[in-house]
């Protein structure tokens, strides 16, 4: 069974950085596109960033462009989301999800993703 586990969340001050990891078990990530999503209290889930199976295509939500970077290390079976210049409005639960077609389409629509992790909390506050 496909399993994705997010880690790296926590409490950080505005302007700070975090790196989230999405580790896969039970399958290899090589053929999967991976998306990062977030959901804040009282808000709908939104796509943050996504990367194709080869890593050649990446997409970002306008709200994070220039601050967040998605990358993957297929040898480690892990996808990362480097988050810099964090703002209070980035506070949310962050999820990663896998697309077995290997795609990365703007704006990372959640309907493409079949398998989801349990999420990791990111809180940006002073």
């Amino acid at each position: 069974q496909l399993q994705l586990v997010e880690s790296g969340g926590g409490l950080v001050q505005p302007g700070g950085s975090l790196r989230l990891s999405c580790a896969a078990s039970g399958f290899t990530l090589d053929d999967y596109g991976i998306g990062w999503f977030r959901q804040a209290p009282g808000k709908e889930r939104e796509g943050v960033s996504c990367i194709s199976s080869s890593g050649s295509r990446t997409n970002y939500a306008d709200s994070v462009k220039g601050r967040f970077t998605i990358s993957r290390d297929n040898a480690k079976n892990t996808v990362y989301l480097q988050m810099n210049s964090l703002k209070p409005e980035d506070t949310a639960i962050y999820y990663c999800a896998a697309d077995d077609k290997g795609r990365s389409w703007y704006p990372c629509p959640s309907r493409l993703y079949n398998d989801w992790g349990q999420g990791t909390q990111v809180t940006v506050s002073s």
Side-chain angles (χ1 to χ4, degrees):
Q1 182 178 353
L2 305 183
Q3 186 174 10
L4 296 168
V5 179
E6 303 93 338
S7 62
L11 173 64
V12 63
Q13 292 186 342
S17 298
L18 285 174
R19 188 177 78 158
L20 304 184
S21 298
C22 173
S25 63
F27 69 108
T28 57
L29 279 179
D30 299 35
D31 296 328
Y32 289 79
I34 299 295
W36 282 99
F37 301 83
R38 66 186 181 187
Q39 188 164 22
K43 294 188 177 181
E44 293 187 356
R45 183 175 57 194
E46 64 171 338
V48 174
S49 181
C50 48
I51 188 168
S52 61
S53 55
S54 68
S56 61
R57 293 187 59 130
T58 59
N59 285 289
Y60 297 91
D62 290 344
S63 59
V64 307
K65 203 170 293 184
R67 300 188 298 123
F68 290 11
T69 303
I70 191 170
S71 62
R72 64 189 301 152
D73 185 341
N74 286 345
K76 294 184 178 180
N77 226 25
T78 302
V79 173
Y80 303 98
L81 185 68
Q82 178 67 44
M83 307 187 296
N84 298 329
S85 303
L86 283 162
K87 305 175 181 180
E89 51 263 43
D90 295 318
T91 296
I93 299 175
Y94 283 70
Y95 302 88
C96 65
D99 165 29
D100 60 7
K101 301 291 192 299
R103 296 165 290 193
S104 173
W105 291 359
Y106 182 83
C108 310
S110 60
R111 70 180 189 278
L112 302 182
Y113 298 85
N114 311 110
D115 298 280
W116 294 75
Q118 82 291 346
T120 185
Q121 176 71 47
V122 171
T123 303
V124 185
S125 175
S126 55

